[in-house]
Amino acid sequence: QVQLVEAGGGLVQAGGSLRLSCAASGLTFSTYTVGWFRQAPGKEREFVAAIRSTGGTTFYADSVKGRFTINRDNAQNTVYLQMNSLKPEDTAVYYCAARSGFPITIFRAMSYDSWGQGTQVTVSS
């Protein structure tokens, strides 16, 4: 059974940084594409970033491009999301998600079939 566990959320001032991690188990991690999504109160879940199963190609939402970096350590079965220059509008619950192979619609939540429980990120102004 696939299990994803996020960690690293917290409270930070605007302009600060956080590093989220997503530890995976129960899967051949190197063959999975992993994405990060976030959901703010009253809003729909939105795509943040993703990294392909092979080659490490990365994808970012325009709203985080240049500020967030996604990378993976297949030896540790972990994906990281480094978040710099945080803004109050980045406040949300952040979820990691995974699926085998490479989904064509990598930006859509429905493309992923395994999800973590989420970690809260709060950015104060």
Side-chain angles (χ1 to χ4, degrees), residues 111-125:
S111 297
Y112 298 82
D113 46 31
S114 299
W115 290 82
Q117 81 289 349
T119 185
Q120 176 70 46
V121 171
T122 303
V123 185
S124 63
S125 57

Side-chain angles (χ1 to χ4, degrees), residues 30-99:
S30 61
T31 67
Y32 275 67
T33 292
V34 179
W36 283 96
F37 290 76
R38 66 187 181 187
Q39 188 165 19
K43 294 188 177 181
E44 293 187 355
R45 191 167 298 191
E46 66 173 359
F47 172 79
V48 175
I51 186 164
R52 284 188 66 166
S53 54
T54 56
T57 303
T58 57
F59 305 83
Y60 297 94
D62 287 343
S63 59
V64 307
K65 203 171 292 184
R67 300 188 297 122
F68 291 11
T69 303
I70 186 172
N71 57 35
R72 65 190 298 160
D73 183 343
N74 287 339
Q76 297 295 324
N77 283 11
T78 302
V79 167
Y80 301 96
L81 184 69
Q82 177 67 43
M83 306 186 296
N84 299 329
S85 301
L86 283 162
K87 305 175 181 180
E89 51 263 44
D90 294 318
T91 296
V93 177
Y94 283 70
Y95 300 88
C96 70
R99 67 154 288 160

